[in-house]
Structures are given as structure tokens and as C-alpha cells.
Amino acid sequence: AQSVTQPDIHITVSEGASLELRCNYSYGATPYLFWYVQSPGQGLQLLLKYFSGDTLVQGIKGFEAEFKRSQSSFNLRKPSVHWSDAAEYFCAVGPQEGDYKLSFGAGTTVTVRA
Amino acid sequence: KAGVTQTPRYLIKTRGQQVTLSCSPISGHRSVSWYQQTPGQGLQFLFEYFSETQRNKGNFPGRFSGRQFSNSRSEMNVSTLELGDSALYLCASSGTAHTGELFFGEGSRLTVL
């Protein structure tokens, strides 16, 4: 069964500092991987996705993620954080053949301090 | 291009009542999924519809049901509400369901008293 682990529940980072959010997945084949962001009171917005090919993928808002098959990881990074990046971030994997669903991690809440 | 629209955004019900939530997907998207989000359980898959057919259902009791109409709009219904059904219910649509790239609405916040 597919699953996602986000080891960090909460991260605090200073504005202008770099950010890295960890994601580990369990999946039986080549995964489709996603990072979504959720601002308070809002739905989820897709930041970036990995389907195949180049293991470093670029997303919106200056985010990037690197797929590492050997480590079953898909970590999200941003070189310089802005106050508006404060939100909850979800890593997701899927779908497997025929099940048409994403499996989400528990999420990482990012707080940005001035 | 309009995004995914969910109505109502907020609602309060009492135990034992039923509720119907509505979702209008992005134009041209034929796949609609529903997720329940709670602080304790996170994001949990409820069901997915494509061309009016339910293709997958999550591990929820039969009180949770849904349907999709010919125009791809979807509704979900929860009967005999329990306190634990209080959650944010998120609808997502996809033009290519096999890849899992979902576009989410802002959700319907249900509070059960």
C-alpha cells in the first residue's frame, strides 16, 4: 500500500532563510509525487509534481523538489522564504493503478518569523 | 478559467441530521474526488467519480455517499450526522485522473453540534 511520511510536524524559519521540508514515501512502483500548500481557511494548491524524467522539479512560488529513488524521498526546498510562505504543506503520492486516489502525508506547518 | 466551486462554505448541523455538499469541477474535468480533512486524521479519501461512475471509495461508513451528474457536478451526502463528522470536506477535480493531479476547491466546513 502506498503511504507518505512527513517527519516534521512544525518548522519555524526566519524570513529570508532557506527552507527544506522532508517527505518519504512507500510505493510499489514508480510513483507520482506531489507537494500541495494550504493557507488557513483555504483549499489545497498544487506547488509541483513529479511524474518521471529530471529528478529536480521546479514549481510555483520559487519552490523546487528533488526525487531520490534510493532514499524514497521527495523533499521540498525554497532558497529564501517570504512571510507569505507561512502555511501547511502536504506531500502526496499516487494514484496506483486503478485506485484513483492520492495518499497524503500528515502535513508540515511552516511558521515564518520576521 | 473558473476553479473548483464548493457550496456551502460553512454549515452547522446537529447530531442525527443529514447534510448535502455540492461541488462544481473545473470546466472540462470529468473526475471529481472528495476528501475529509480533520486535525486528528489529516486528509482522508472519501470517493472518486468519473463520468457518473464511482470508481473508488475510501474506508468510510455507508452514511457517507456521493454521486456525480452528467455535467460532472458532484454532491456528497452524510446521513445521521455524528460529532466526529465535523471536518473540512474538500472536493477536487482532475482532467487526467490517472496521474493524480488534483485541483481543489476551498472546502465546505461542517460543524456538528
Side-chain angles (χ1 to χ4, degrees):
Chain A
Q2 60 196 50
S3 66
V4 177
T5 302
Q6 292 181 247
D8 305 305
I9 296 173
H10 188 210
I11 286 179
T12 299
V13 61
S14 297
E15 191 169 15
S18 64
L19 174 69
E20 181 168 13
L21 304 182
R22 296 182 291 166
C23 172
N24 294 98
Y25 66 89
S26 173
Y27 194 80
T30 301
Y32 295 143
L33 293 161
F34 308 85
W35 276 99
Y36 285 85
V37 61
Q38 185 178 35
S39 298
Q42 302 295 312
L44 276 69
Q45 181 183 21
L46 180 66
L47 281 176
L48 48 78
K49 62 197 179 196
Y50 172 78
F51 291 163
S52 64
D54 193 347
T55 56
L56 185 63
V57 294
Q58 303 296 321
I60 62 171
K61 305 185 180 187
F63 285 92
E64 65 179 25
E66 186 171 12
F67 169 62
K68 292 186 177 180
R69 184 187 300 276
S70 62
Q71 298 177 19
S72 297
S73 68
F74 188 58
N75 294 348
L76 181 71
R77 298 193 293 255
K78 185 169 185 177
S80 178
V81 168
H82 187 261
W83 64 266
S84 60
D85 294 323
E88 190 162 18
Y89 293 79
F90 294 93
C91 182
V93 65
Q96 289 190 313
E97 183 68 32
D99 80 3
Y100 310 109
K101 71 176 184 182
L102 292 187
S103 294
F104 287 86
T108 299
T109 299
V110 173
T111 298
V112 180
R113 60 184 174 214
Chain B
K1 197 173 189 180
V4 177
T5 303
Q6 292 188 245
T7 57
R9 289 290 314 281
Y10 303 91
L11 64 166
I12 300 173
K13 295 286 187 178
T14 56
R15 280 181 299 175
Q17 288 187 309
Q18 74 163 11
V19 66
T20 299
L21 309 177
S22 180
C23 172
S24 293
I26 291 172
S27 178
H29 285 189
R30 294 166 66 189
S31 170
V32 173
S33 303
W34 290 88
Y35 289 80
Q36 181 196 64
Q37 185 178 25
T38 59
Q41 299 297 316
L43 282 152
Q44 302 214 13
F45 172 77
L46 280 158
F47 20 68
E48 189 265 355
Y49 290 87
F50 182 84
S51 293
E52 302 179 66
T53 299
Q54 185 184 90
R55 298 195 295 186
N56 197 11
K57 188 178 192 316
N59 189 25
F60 280 82
R63 300 185 296 106
F64 290 80
S65 63
R67 59 178 175 169
Q68 186 181 34
F69 302 95
S70 58
N71 61 358
S72 294
R73 191 177 70 85
S74 177
E75 289 181 348
M76 66 163 284
N77 183 277
V78 188
S79 62
T80 319
L81 284 166
E82 300 177 0
L83 296 178
D85 297 333
S86 295
L88 180 66
Y89 290 88
L90 291 163
C91 170
S93 73
S94 175
T96 55
H98 69 283
T99 65
E101 183 174 358
L102 302 180
F103 296 87
F104 283 84
E106 294 186 315
S108 292
R109 170 76 63 186
L110 171 64
T111 301
V112 182
L113 302 177

